[in-house]
């Protein structure tokens, strides 16, 4: 089987005397490899700048996320969201056995990129999820770690923001705006990896990113470096 399947649609967000945004999304599914790609095109069709916050929630569970799972990233820095996350800052990468009454830990990552793209890998043995995205409009990466018993899940979340809300983003100089008539492009690619060779190839890619890539521009997390 060769070729691809594509599907697309358009959504408008509009309020009288308010923001006028248009989102066009295209999904592309490969018929040869377990890969799905989506591209978002956001346009400000209004006549004033509009704030824009996009956070892609990829929430992953069993069997990919379970005891023994490792999150591999080409990191420049890792920041704990709060005091609870600081308890796990030395083990953010590793997923342990489920813990009763575990309180979620959230980490923000400043990554390396090459040619505009960065990649992370969730690995459970010889099974993995490779997530790659273009960083020009998406400089942030959030890791939501929840190993609580019976609701064991992890979020791997690229975005042009972190989950803090619009007021906090504005206050902390992270809120992005799309100028009147402006447009932005977002691309994410998800691939399921199976087998030792596929996993090792991705690990080599991440090592190369770590060693020769450049820091993602526009990632401002200095206020969490405390």
């Amino acid at each position: 089987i060769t070729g691809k399947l594509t599907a697309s649609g358009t959504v408008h967000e509009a309020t009288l005397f308010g923001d006028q945004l248009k989102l066009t999304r295209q999904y592309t599914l490969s018929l040869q490899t377990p890969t799905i790609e989506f591209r978002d095109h956001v346009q400000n069709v209004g006549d004033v700048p509009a704030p824009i916050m996009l956070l892609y929630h990829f929430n992953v569970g069993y069997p990919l996320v379970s005891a023994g799972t490792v999150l591999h990233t080409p990191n420049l820095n890792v920041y704990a969201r709060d005091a609870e996350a600081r308890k796990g800052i030395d083990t953010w990468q590793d997923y342990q056995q489920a813990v009763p009454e575990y309180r979620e830990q959230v980490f923000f990552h400043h990554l390396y990129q090459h040619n505009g793209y960065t990649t992370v890998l969730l690995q459970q043995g010889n099974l993995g999820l490779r997530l790659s995205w273009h960083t020009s409009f998406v400089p942030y990466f959030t890791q939501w770690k929840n190993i609580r018993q019976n609701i064991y899940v992890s979020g791997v979340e690229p975005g042009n923001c972190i989950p803090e809300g619009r007021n906090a983003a504005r206050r902390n100089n992270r809120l992005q705006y799309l100028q009147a008539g402006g447009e932005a492009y977002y691309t994410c690619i998800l691939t399921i990896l199976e087998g030792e060779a596929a996993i090792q190839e991705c690990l080599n890619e991440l090592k190369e990113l770590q060693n020769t890539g450049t820091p993602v521009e526009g990632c401002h997390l200095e206020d969490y470096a405390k």
Side-chain angles (χ1 to χ4, degrees):
I1 300 176
T2 61
K4 299 178 179 180
L5 293 176
T6 61
S8 61
T10 299
V11 176
H12 294 266
E13 177 185 328
T15 59
L16 184 64
F17 307 128
D19 298 337
Q20 306 284 331
L21 297 171
K22 175 183 176 183
L23 166 67
T24 300
R25 173 172 292 182
Q26 176 177 286
Y27 292 99
T28 300
L29 177 66
S30 171
L31 300 181
Q32 298 170 290
T33 60
T35 297
I36 186 168
E37 175 181 343
F38 64 85
R39 296 177 180 271
D40 284 343
H41 177 208
V42 180
Q43 298 169 275
N44 181 359
V45 296
D47 57 4
V48 295
I52 181 169
M53 299 180 75
L54 272 77
L55 186 68
Y56 295 103
H57 291 266
F58 299 110
N59 293 325
V60 186
Y62 185 85
L64 182 56
V65 174
S66 55
T69 293
V70 180
L71 174 62
H72 302 277
T73 66
N75 259 319
L76 174 65
N77 283 306
V78 182
Y79 302 90
R81 180 183 67 176
D82 51 25
E84 191 64 35
R86 283 193 287 275
K87 297 177 183 177
I89 192 64
D90 293 328
T91 56
W92 64 264
Q93 194 172 22
D94 302 311
Y95 289 75
Q96 300 83 22
Q97 292 284 346
V99 177
E101 300 183 35
Y102 175 90
R103 294 180 61 188
E104 65 178 8
Q105 295 182 352
V106 177
F107 305 97
F108 306 129
H109 298 254
H110 190 179
L111 304 179
Y112 287 101
Q113 61 83 33
H114 179 66
N115 289 334
Y117 279 88
T118 194
T119 298
V120 302
L121 169 67
L122 269 173
Q123 178 199 2
Q124 172 58 258
N126 288 332
L127 177 66
L129 172 66
R130 178 187 185 275
L131 171 59
S132 181
W133 67 94
H134 200 283
T135 64
S136 59
F137 292 102
V138 184
Y140 295 101
F141 175 64
T142 299
Q143 174 195 8
W144 172 48
K145 187 177 181 182
N146 179 36
I147 62 172
R148 185 169 177 174
Q149 186 173 316
N150 297 326
I151 50 173
Y152 200 119
V153 65
S154 182
V156 283
E157 305 172 357
N160 77 339
C161 60
I162 60 174
E164 61 182 338
R166 184 178 291 184
N167 289 336
R170 183 182 292 109
R171 184 170 60 251
N172 296 315
N173 297 315
R174 275 186 287 268
L175 184 60
Q176 294 187 10
Y177 287 82
L178 201 56
Q179 297 302 310
E183 52 190 355
Y185 297 86
Y186 308 86
T187 300
C188 287
I189 305 169
L190 298 94
T191 303
I192 297 296
L193 304 179
E194 294 185 278
E196 183 179 355
I199 294 293
Q200 189 58 54
E201 181 179 1
C202 189
L203 290 174
N204 291 341
E205 176 189 2
L206 291 174
K207 184 177 180 180
E208 184 71 14
L209 265 176
Q210 186 81 50
N211 293 335
T212 65
T214 59
V216 171
E217 295 183 0
C219 182
H220 303 297
L221 295 167
E222 295 79 9
D223 50 314
Y224 284 97
K226 300 176 182 178

